[in-house]
């Protein structure tokens, strides 16, 4: 099985879908001839032609607007928003149109749009190239929100997203594009080639939307994480020696609440980790679900480890980033109680 | 030392306000028949004068004149006249049932019937339209059943949209009528995307979209022009300039500084400006644009210059912001009367026939309304099953929504 990094795995997903389905088209800023600023669409225009993989004007609202229209026609558009931080001009098309079209027309029209957007920090991107805005989308009924943590899931989930008849917002943690980053920027970069989930089949396969994955089985505390923070949580468990069960949510909406409940009922403790800002973040929803489903199993308060409630600061990103030390302290607090 | 004058902020104001007499003498209205008709492969720059002109076919005597005369046969014109009269009668009935409390809200298109009906006349039945709430005439011109539209207005048990949308926000895939959005402008770039998809698939169908002049200020209008221009999308983008966006006159959307049609030129999109109350002219310009789109020549922007004769909606009171006599003084008249006069002048219609037709469409609307009310009204029901509110959020209902539905039904 070929080793792929996350960029190659995502590219392979679109390659497979362009090859299988003539209704799949891929577009966005710089995605055509050049192949994307992160190279995720590299080579696709050469292989499938400019009619199917093309450059778009710098207007995220327009990109999503035409995507909705194309979806209404019957295509399966895959639109790239160059950075998740740039997605806000597209909010109206995503929220009022893509997410609501099936409902408002009682199933007459729908928009099977996939929106890909690199998210998260750790590349000195400052406040406009580092954000994790997933909670803004999980709040929107009619949208699905997906965040993979490894190449194997990235490919399988992106194929599922493109094949899905509902609109999917697909966030790609850009710090994971080249390797399983565990939150230690001072250490040498690790490659996906040595990671079991860097082994990615070349052909078509799906990872289902709405199913979490146990990234590490454990008995003492459940860690709920997604994207980059899955690897940070794994590092924290190893560094503290706490026997944590790390759940990689993979999909935030629909949420695999059964997997969460099964784990927390077993461990009786829960730490929630995300890179996004804290207040109103997806961790708040997770904490609510855990207390609704598992209140009588809880033996300690639920912990949240998140980005601070500030914009992402350029010079202080490692003080901002909720790294293994902060997660480790939360694991200790949760298990000592 | 102060060398420059004191800066002053400009806030546009309409010419006249309530209590004053309406006066449209400032409008530049070219003579009917005086505007040239360029070939459909003309470029936006070469034909830029048309964005500042006003294409008119019917002159003051009701005669069709000039190069834009679409030469429509009398049967087509009588069908158009009937669809406009039916649209008006439908609007009047639905307005009345709202006042009777049978539904929550209504919006009429009175005075603007030649926009939707005249333009529908130039489109193929399978072209897909992306309208606003003031183009109900598109559905009527496409012979969509009135009862079905009324059931939507009542949100009743037979409402195909299951009581989810405010009145008038219709959707009819079978009629090629895209689901209406309450958020303004979104349909413009969507129509461009739909048209791009049609071109990508080697289809023959084109798209047409409408916006009011007010919502041209939304980014979607500029997205639509940019993307349509870049990809030569087979789409017709229509700005219905009915002078008023709720209480704001068209100057608040930028109409005092330039025409709305002229927005197209900067994008390289050929632009036409047309008398929106002239059925022959709205049909003719739309034919021109449709031919262009069908010939892979790309998009056209059309400004339809008209007047919103009634309130924005049943929740609006225009006597608070505009002179009461504007509609009667509107220099471009009533589209129904103008087409009627034209047909009468051609010897193809008479006052007696017109009066008989008016009664006929009123009776048609009354009968349809009886049928629709029998299926329910918003105030008295029956409504769609309440549990249906959880359907169609996603293709498959997720577990969490099933739980919420059961909670509602179980009365927890």
């Amino acid at each position: 099985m070929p080793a792929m990094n996350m960029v190659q795995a995502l590219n392979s997903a679109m390659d497979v879908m362009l090859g299988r389905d003539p209704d799949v088209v891929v577009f966005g800023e710089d995605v055509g001839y050049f192949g994307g600023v992160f190279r995720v669409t590299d080579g696709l225009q050469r292989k499938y032609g400019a009619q199917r993989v093309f450059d778009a004007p710098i207007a995220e609202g327009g990109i999503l607007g035409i995507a909705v229209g194309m979806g209404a026609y019957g295509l399966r558009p895959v639109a790239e928003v160059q950075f998740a931080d740039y997605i806000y001009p597209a909010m109206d098309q995503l929220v009022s149109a893509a997410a609501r079209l099936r409902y408002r027309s009682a199933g007459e029209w729908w928009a099977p749009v996939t929106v890909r957007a690199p998210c998260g920090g750790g590349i000195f991107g400052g406040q406009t190239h580092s954000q994790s805005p997933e909670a803004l989308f999980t709040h929107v009924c009619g949208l699905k929100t997906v965040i993979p943590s490894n190449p194997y899931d990235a490919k399988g989930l992106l194929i599922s997203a493109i094949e899905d008849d509902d609109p999917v917002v697909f966030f790609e943690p850009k710090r994971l594009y080249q390797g399983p980053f565990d939150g230690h920027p001072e250490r040498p970069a690790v490659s996906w080639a040595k990671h079991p989930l860097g082994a990615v089949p070349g052909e078509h396969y799906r990872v289902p939307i709405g199913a979490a994955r146990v990234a590490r089985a454990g008995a003492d505390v459940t860690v709920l994480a997604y994207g980059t923070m899955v690897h940070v949580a794994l590092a924290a468990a190893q560094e503290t020696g706490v026997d944590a069960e790390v759940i990689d949510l993979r999909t935030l909406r629909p949420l695999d609440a059964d997997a969460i409940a099964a784990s927390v009922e077993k461990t009786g403790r829960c730490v929630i980790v995300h890179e996004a800002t804290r207040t109103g973040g997806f961790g708040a929803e997770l904490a609510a679900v855990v207390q609704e489903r598992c209140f009588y199993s809880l033996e300690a308060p639920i912990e949240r480890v998140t980005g601070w409630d500030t914009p992402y600061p350029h010079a202080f990103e490692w003080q901002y980033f909720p790294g293994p030390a902060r997660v480790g302290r939360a694991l200790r607090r949760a298990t000592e109680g | 030392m102060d060398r420059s004058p004191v800066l002053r902020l400009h806030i546009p104001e309409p010419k006249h306000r309530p209590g004053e007499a309406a006066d449209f003498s400032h409008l530049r209205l070219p003579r009917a028949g005086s505007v040239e008709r360029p070939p459909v492969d003309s470029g936006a720059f070469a034909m830029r004068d048309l964005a500042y002109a006003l294409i008119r076919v019917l002159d003051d005597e009701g005669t069709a004149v000039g190069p834009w005369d679409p030469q429509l046969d009398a049967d087509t014109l009588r069908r158009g006249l009937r669809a406009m009269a039916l649209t008006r009668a439908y609007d009047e009935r639905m307005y009345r049932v709202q006042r009777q409390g049978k539904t929550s809200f209504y919006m009429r298109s009175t005075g603007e019937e030649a926009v939707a009906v005249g333009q529908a006349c130039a489109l193929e039945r399978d072209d897909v339209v992306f309208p606003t709430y003031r183009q109900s005439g598109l559905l009527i011109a496409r012979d969509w059943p009135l009862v079905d539209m009324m059931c939507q207005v009542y949100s009743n048990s037979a409402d195909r949209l299951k009581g989810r949308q405010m009145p008038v926000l219709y959707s009819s895939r079978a009629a090629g009528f895209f689901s209406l959005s309450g958020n303004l402008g979104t349909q413009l770039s969507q129509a461009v995307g739909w048209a791009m998809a049609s071109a990508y698939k080697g289809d023959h169908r084109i798209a047409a979209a409408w916006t009011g002049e007010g919502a041209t200020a939304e980014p979607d209008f500029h997205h639509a022009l940019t993307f349509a221009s870049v990809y030569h999308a087979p789409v017709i983008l229509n700005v219905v300039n009915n002078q008023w966006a709720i209480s704001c006159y068209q100057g608040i959307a930028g109409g005092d500084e330039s025409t709305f049609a002229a927005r197209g030129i900067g994008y390289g999109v050929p632009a036409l400006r047309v008398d929106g109350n002239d059925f022959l002219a709205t049909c003719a310009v739309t034919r021109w644009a449709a031919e262009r789109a069908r010939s892979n020549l790309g998009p056209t922007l059309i400004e339809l210059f008209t007047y919103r004769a009634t309130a924005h909606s049943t929740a609006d009171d225009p006597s608070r912001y505009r002179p009461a006599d504007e509609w009667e003084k509107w220099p471009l008249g009533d589209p129904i009367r103008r087409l009627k006069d034209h047909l009468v002048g051609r010897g193809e219609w008479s006052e007696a026939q017109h009066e008989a037709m008016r009664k006929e469409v009123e009776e048609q609307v009354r009968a349809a309304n009886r049928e629709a009310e029998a299926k329910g009204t918003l105030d008295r029901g029956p409504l769609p099953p309440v549990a249906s509110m959880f359907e169609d959020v996603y293709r498959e209902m997720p577990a969490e929504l099933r739980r919420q539905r059961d909670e509602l039904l179980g009365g927890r």
Side-chain angles (χ1 to χ4, degrees):
Chain A
M1 205 180 287
M4 293 190 198
N5 64 29
M6 202 135 138
V7 170
Q8 293 162 327
L10 292 161
N11 183 283
S12 174
M14 285 184 277
D15 188 358
V16 164
M17 289 310 297
L18 283 160
R20 281 166 70 99
D21 184 350
D23 288 337
V24 171
V25 291
V26 173
F27 53 92
E29 296 156 16
D30 301 299
V31 310
Y33 187 84
F34 178 53
V37 296
F38 289 104
R39 319 304 305 146
V40 179
T41 54
D42 188 27
L44 296 178
Q45 187 182 75
R46 265 195 309 285
K47 187 165 175 185
Y48 295 99
Q51 290 255 322
R52 302 194 62 195
V53 182
F54 57 88
D55 290 317
I58 304 173
E60 293 76 15
I63 288 169
L64 262 295
I66 65 161
V68 170
M70 289 174 162
Y73 181 95
L75 303 188
R76 292 194 177 277
V78 183
E80 177 177 305
V81 169
Q82 197 162 76
F83 285 85
D85 317 64
Y86 301 169
I87 205 167
Y88 308 120
M91 279 306 263
D92 195 34
Q93 286 290 348
L94 271 168
V95 176
S96 310
R100 303 290 153 75
L101 189 52
R102 182 190 298 284
Y103 191 77
R104 77 184 200 212
S105 70
E108 275 198 340
W109 303 93
W110 62 95
V113 175
T114 302
V115 188
R116 296 179 34 248
C119 71
I123 63 154
F124 284 109
Q127 60 181 286
T128 55
H129 301 78
S130 306
Q131 294 170 55
S132 297
E134 63 272 7
L136 298 176
F137 300 92
T138 58
H139 190 60
V140 178
C141 57
L143 291 183
K144 296 180 178 178
T145 303
V146 173
I147 308 184
S149 72
N150 59 75
Y152 182 89
D153 284 353
K155 177 170 175 180
L157 283 165
L158 183 55
I159 286 174
S160 293
I162 296 170
E163 290 179 343
D164 202 293
D165 285 335
D166 293 311
V168 179
V169 182
F170 193 97
F171 287 116
E172 301 166 2
K174 60 175 101 65
R175 202 60 172 78
L176 298 183
Y177 273 154
Q178 305 301 332
F181 178 68
D182 67 0
H184 284 290
E186 72 284 3
R187 293 183 189 164
V190 181
S191 153
W192 280 113
K194 299 191 178 74
H195 194 284
L197 293 170
V200 178
E203 64 270 21
H204 175 278
Y205 66 91
R206 297 183 192 101
V207 170
I209 289 173
R213 168 183 80 95
V214 178
R216 180 193 192 279
D220 292 348
V221 56
T222 298
V223 181
L224 303 179
Y226 50 90
T228 310
M229 302 314 292
V230 171
H231 304 281
V232 174
L234 292 172
Q238 194 193 2
E239 289 161 22
T240 56
V242 172
D243 187 18
E245 178 147 297
V246 178
I247 308 285
D248 177 357
L249 295 174
R250 301 198 289 196
T251 306
L252 305 190
R253 186 166 184 169
L255 182 67
D256 191 348
D258 289 343
I260 294 171
S263 179
V264 176
E265 275 163 15
K266 183 177 78 179
T267 63
R269 294 158 202 272
C270 183
V271 173
I272 295 163
V273 187
H274 58 62
E275 190 179 340
T277 51
R278 182 181 183 89
T279 303
F282 193 67
E285 178 65 23
L286 290 172
V289 168
V290 168
Q291 76 83 20
E292 281 166 7
R293 298 274 300 246
C294 314
F295 182 77
Y296 296 105
S297 306
L298 285 174
E299 292 171 42
I302 301 167
E303 290 276 345
R304 277 191 292 166
V305 186
T306 71
W308 309 120
D309 276 347
T310 72
Y312 221 112
H314 179 245
F316 304 113
E317 59 181 13
W318 301 117
Q319 287 85 354
Y320 178 91
F321 185 90
R326 280 181 62 202
V327 177
R329 286 197 291 277
L331 291 180
R332 289 218 176 83
R333 282 196 301 274
T335 48
E336 280 161 9
Chain B
M1 194 175 76
D2 253 349
R3 279 173 299 182
S4 55
V6 172
L7 296 171
R8 291 181 211 287
L9 176 65
H10 173 66
I11 308 291
E13 264 297 317
K15 300 274 182 220
H16 301 283
R17 285 295 194 183
E20 299 169 337
D23 177 5
F24 291 110
S25 58
H26 63 283
L27 294 180
R28 280 181 49 241
L29 302 174
R31 251 180 328 104
S34 65
V35 177
E36 57 155 339
R37 184 182 189 278
V40 293
D41 61 353
S42 301
F45 184 73
M47 54 179 280
R48 62 192 179 280
D49 289 350
L50 276 80
Y52 300 95
L54 195 71
I55 295 164
R56 306 174 64 194
V57 173
L58 291 173
D59 67 14
D60 293 344
E61 281 70 51
T63 309
V65 293
W68 284 96
D69 178 4
Q71 315 269 341
L72 297 174
D73 63 67
D75 279 342
T76 304
L77 292 178
R78 280 188 290 258
R79 270 202 307 278
L81 184 66
R82 187 189 174 87
M84 289 201 290
L86 185 56
T87 303
R88 188 166 294 182
Y90 175 83
D91 275 347
E92 285 314 306
R93 171 63 55 176
M94 291 296 97
Y95 172 76
R96 210 165 326 145
V97 301
Q98 190 278 339
R99 284 302 190 237
Q100 291 164 356
K102 292 175 180 174
T103 190
S104 57
F105 179 82
Y106 193 71
M107 308 177 94
R108 291 175 282 182
S109 58
T110 311
E112 301 176 38
E113 293 89 347
V115 171
V117 178
Q119 295 198 270
C121 174
L123 296 170
E124 297 294 333
R125 180 63 168 69
D126 57 358
D127 292 332
V128 171
V129 296
F130 292 73
T132 78
Y133 39 66
R134 234 178 285 283
Q135 282 84 45
S136 309
L138 289 167
L139 277 173
I140 289 176
R142 289 185 165 186
D143 295 322
W144 193 249
L146 299 183
V147 175
D148 184 74
M149 295 168 68
M150 289 166 165
C151 290
Q152 196 280 329
V153 170
Y154 288 127
S155 281
N156 69 14
S157 64
D159 173 15
R160 286 182 300 102
L161 306 188
K162 304 184 189 174
R164 292 174 188 162
Q165 285 276 63
M166 280 176 81
V168 193
L169 300 187
Y170 308 111
S171 172
S172 173
R173 194 175 180 113
F177 186 100
F178 189 70
S179 157
L180 282 182
S181 171
N183 297 53
L184 301 185
T186 53
Q187 70 280 2
L188 298 167
S189 51
Q190 292 162 4
V192 173
W194 191 97
M196 289 171 68
S198 186
Y200 166 73
K201 293 295 278 186
D203 199 340
H204 296 278
R205 296 175 295 161
I206 63 172
W210 284 260
T211 176
E213 87 285 354
T216 61
E218 291 282 4
D220 307 79
F221 178 65
H222 304 276
H223 297 153
L225 285 166
T226 302
F227 284 71
S229 167
V230 168
Y231 302 110
H232 295 193
V235 66
I236 306 172
L237 299 169
N238 299 293
V239 177
V240 183
N241 178 1
N242 66 8
Q243 314 302 318
W244 291 95
I246 306 186
S247 71
C248 288
Y249 90 110
Q250 50 88 37
I252 296 294
D256 282 352
E257 311 304 321
S258 185
T259 69
F260 293 98
R263 271 53 170 170
I265 298 170
Y267 294 92
V269 175
L272 302 172
R273 191 157 178 270
V274 64
D275 174 355
N277 291 11
D278 178 341
F279 180 92
L280 296 175
T282 61
C283 177
V285 296
T286 310
R287 272 189 175 177
W288 188 93
E291 191 188 332
R292 220 183 112 73
R294 280 186 223 290
S295 315
N296 280 310
L297 292 165
T300 304
L301 176 66
I302 300 175
E303 176 182 349
L304 299 113
F305 197 69
T306 182
Y307 184 81
R308 195 192 77 208
T310 57
H312 166 71
S313 73
T314 49
D316 175 40
D317 174 9
S319 73
R320 299 180 62 152
Y321 52 79
R322 67 183 189 183
D325 60 345
E326 276 197 350
W327 171 227
E328 66 190 66
K329 291 199 177 149
W330 181 244
L332 298 171
D334 178 329
I336 295 179
R337 187 192 53 72
R338 287 177 67 193
L339 183 56
K340 181 201 77 174
D341 290 349
H342 170 68
L343 273 165
V344 170
R346 270 169 73 165
E348 295 284 357
W349 197 239
S350 69
E351 295 293 343
Q353 279 175 302
H354 193 74
E355 186 54 24
M357 188 259 299
R358 209 181 50 76
K359 286 193 173 132
E360 221 175 276
V361 295
E362 270 174 25
E363 183 44 46
Q364 183 184 347
V365 168
R366 232 190 321 269
N369 188 49
R370 275 194 296 273
E371 202 183 316
E373 286 197 18
K375 297 172 197 289
T377 56
L378 183 63
D379 61 330
R380 294 181 164 185
L383 304 178
V386 65
S388 71
M389 83 162 86
F390 295 96
E391 297 164 5
D392 307 316
V393 181
Y394 298 92
R395 167 147 279 171
E396 309 290 338
M397 194 182 296
E400 174 58 19
L401 269 186
R402 285 200 301 275
R403 191 197 66 70
Q404 293 177 19
R405 179 195 60 191
D406 295 346
E407 183 179 331
L408 172 80
L409 295 177
R412 251 189 70 194

